[in-house]
Amino acid sequence: MLRAEHLSKTYVTTDWSGFLKRKKSKVEAVRDVSLEMRGGQIIGLLGINGAGKTTTIKMLSTLLQPTSGSIDVDGLDGVRDAIEIKKRINMIAGGERMIYWRLTARENLWYYGQLYGIDNKQLAQRIERLLGMVGLAEKQDIPVERFSKGMKQRLQIARGLINDPGYIFMDEPTLGLDAAIAKELRGYVKDLACKEGKSILLTTHYIQEVEELCEYVYVMDKGTVIAQGTPKELALLGMENKVLCVELHENHERLHRSLTEACQSAERNCSIIWDGKNMAYTITSSKDLSSTVAKVLLEQQAVFKKFYGQEPGLEDAIIKLSRRDKDGFFYEGTEGRDEKTA
Amino acid sequence: MGSFMKVLKAEMRKQHKNYFFNKSIYITLFIWPLLTFISAYYCYKPFRLDKIVGGLDYVNESNLVVFVLIGYLSLVFFRCFVQSAWRFSMERTFGTLELIYLTPANRLAFIMGNAVSSLFESIWLFVVFASGIFVLNASAYNIDMLSAMLGIILLIVLSILWGMLLNALFLFSRDSSFLFTVLEEPMEIFAGIKVPAAVFPIWAKAISAVFPLTYIAEMLRRIFIKGDGLVQIKGFVLISILIGFAILSITILCLKLGERHAKKTGSMALF
Ligand SMILES: Nc1ncnc2c1ncn2[C@@H]1O[C@H](COP(=O)(O)OP(=O)(O)OP(=O)(O)O)[C@@H](O)[C@H]1O
Ligand SMILES: [Mg+2]
């Protein structure tokens, strides 16, 4: 079992503002987070950008030293026994980095296997099995640079299993993959937990993934765990909310202000999220704001594609839990919330 | 020890596949040293080497080629790392360094693997060429085999240690282009490869004292041209060993500090 207790991490960064002047700044990325991972369990770690998920994962995987708190992996201490722990864990991140493009799939796996000091014969067998599992057996001798994104990600998964870890941390493993491949990857993840008894911690921005995979979920915001429970329990937290979606044809500058003003005056605790990529607003509040929103759309003569109400789910619970500053209001510039660069 | 060798071998193989995939690289590795060798030869030519006080009395018109060649050969040994260390630092930006740090692999073995592989990959062609010239010219000299062997071993060991130091520095440095400029040209000049170190004013001699290449090149020249034996070169051997230890200590320190810094700040760039 892996148990983390009261983990905190404060980054101290030094910026040179002049030739000799330097400024130290502190970012409290994680504050007092406790969590547990057991064999055969998939745990979700959710939260908006910057909530502290990656920082938490890096602490659990010994890449970062916690400012305070303790980590215990099968009775080993996270700081003192880091080398021993490294043999029992692994991390899989999304994106196309972190593999050698000029090496073939097999060579990549062989290299990392050697770093773990795995016996050559055992390693050869394991590579065979892993390549088969992620469906790269036929492409094993092609340089990775000729792989598609999905193939690279599958290789990433095989790499993350090369040392047969008991605990696997996955940081947005389906980032940037199409729906079909993401689904396939979810299948692997599920099998790893159910069939092989691995313990998996998963961060993701796709709620569907959490609903499908995770047994237990921690929701983080501003570095702390603000809610935890099964996905069903958490979804209930958002139930009393009403969710409206407006999809536009084009960006409409004036609409931003009038919509936020109108909604806020009708209901102080509402949240409006602008998704610049899909040109869509998601408005979540405890009251039904459909007539208010409709009025603004008419007034501003906004041409919209769709305007509809939505069943609140886990996503709304997370929005509700996460982004409420002191005015209970949140407005997210023009950046899409699903747009993320690796 | 077994796992040290495993990591070392794996790293060498990876670097070989990752960087030396393209055969044309050998042309640049050969043509470039050759051109600079020729330019160094004509750099030396105007100096009356036998008139320089401080021990270059063994050089004359007829052995100048070998004199420059040995210096140049040593330089190639030491300089081949700058480029590969620079490519090596890409591991940080590409995220693979983080994955390596996620493994229990020995960090020293890892950077040593890179140094050894880049050394043997980049110099062999030039070594063949140099040996050819040397054999054509060497019949007149009488060389002490034991010191020749020791000299070559020291050349290899020290250059690998030097490469490891560069790798460690580049790996954790935010701006590796700075190191590139600092280490490329000055080493060639100050180590007495392009210009005899003996003509330097005292401050420049102080700079040349930092580069292990200075001692190695001078030692090899004495062994192969002057015919010095173990007794005459023992001072050079001693200094080389001392510098070797110093370099290794700095490398280990740099790796330790780098990893500690990374664990603290989440950033692999130490300076
Ligand atoms: N190396 C670092 N130095 C300083 N601050 C950092 C560093 N890494 C992260 N942070 C800060 O710590 C906070 C948490 O970042 P973290 O990467 O853990 O968030 P996250 O939940 O993974 O976000 P995302 O969903 O965007 O991946 C952010 O405010 C971020 O700016
Ligand atoms: Mg993250």
Side-chain angles (χ1 to χ4, degrees), chain A residues 9-12 58 61-65 79 82-83 86-87 89-91 96-103 107 110-112 114-120 156 159, chain B residues 3 6-7 9-11 13-14 17-19 21 91-107 110 259-260 262-268:
Chain A
K9 179 73 197 176
T10 305
Y11 289 110
V12 182
K58 285 194 176 168
S61 56
T62 72
L63 283 175
L64 271 180
Q65 190 165 358
V79 178
I83 292 286
K86 283 176 199 283
K87 295 180 186 162
I89 59 169
N90 214 324
M91 184 174 84
E96 297 180 78
R97 295 154 74 235
M98 296 186 158
I99 28 178
Y100 297 98
W101 286 28
R102 294 206 179 106
L103 268 55
E107 286 164 351
W110 184 87
Y111 172 67
Y112 284 108
Q114 295 291 318
L115 294 191
Y116 280 100
I118 304 167
D119 167 67
N120 284 349
Q156 222 22 293
R159 198 227 79 236
Chain B
S3 67
K6 230 171 147 63
V7 175
K9 270 200 271 184
E11 181 60 32
R13 203 164 127 179
K14 178 196 86 189
K17 297 237 160 91
N18 213 16
Y19 297 133
F21 61 100
E91 300 245 351
R92 191 186 64 229
T93 36
F94 213 66
T96 41
L97 185 61
E98 195 164 63
L99 286 182
I100 289 163
Y101 272 66
L102 191 66
T103 71
N106 187 307
R107 314 318 191 209
F110 161 67
E259 187 159 5
R260 207 175 70 189
K263 277 188 148 190
K264 241 184 188 157
T265 63
S267 137
M268 292 270 176

Side-chain angles (χ1 to χ4, degrees), chain A residues 9-13 25-30 45-58 64 171-172 203-205 220-223 339-341, chain B residues 262 264-268:
Chain A
K9 179 73 197 176
T10 305
Y11 289 110
V12 182
T13 49
S25 53
K26 286 184 175 177
V27 181
E28 201 177 17
V30 169
L45 193 57
L46 297 186
I48 51 168
N49 289 152
K53 305 179 295 294
T54 302
T55 305
T56 306
I57 283 199
K58 285 194 176 168
L64 271 180
D171 199 1
E172 306 185 39
T203 82
T204 175
H205 287 281
M220 287 187 74
D221 184 43
K222 300 197 185 88
E339 276 180 340
K340 263 211 68 194
T341 39
Chain B
K264 241 184 188 157
T265 63
S267 137
M268 292 270 176

Side-chain angles (χ1 to χ4, degrees), chain B residues 11 29 32 41 45 82-83 91 104 109 115 156-157 166-167 182 201 252 255 266 268:
Chain B
E11 181 60 32
L29 285 176
W32 186 244
Y41 176 75
K45 229 158 171 202
V82 182
Q83 242 182 59
E91 300 245 351
I156 293 174
V157 171
L166 289 199
N167 281 345
V182 168
I252 293 174
L255 283 178
M268 292 270 176

Side-chain angles (χ1 to χ4, degrees), chain B residues 61-135:
Chain B
E61 279 288 319
S62 65
N63 61 19
L64 182 61
V65 174
V66 177
F67 176 84
V68 175
L69 187 75
I70 290 176
Y72 224 78
L73 186 66
S74 319
L75 175 67
V76 168
F77 267 72
F78 280 82
R79 212 183 45 185
C80 68
F81 299 110
V82 182
Q83 242 182 59
S84 79
W86 181 71
R87 275 189 313 235
F88 192 45
S89 67
M90 304 286 188
E91 300 245 351
R92 191 186 64 229
T93 36
F94 213 66
T96 41
L97 185 61
E98 195 164 63
L99 286 182
I100 289 163
Y101 272 66
L102 191 66
T103 71
N106 187 307
R107 314 318 191 209
L108 202 60
F110 161 67
I111 58 163
M112 192 170 182
N114 176 279
V116 174
S117 107
S118 34
L119 179 65
F120 291 116
E121 301 268 9
S122 3
I123 58 155
W124 70 268
L125 207 54
F126 197 79
V127 169
V128 170
F129 160 77
S131 313
I133 298 224
F134 189 74
V135 168

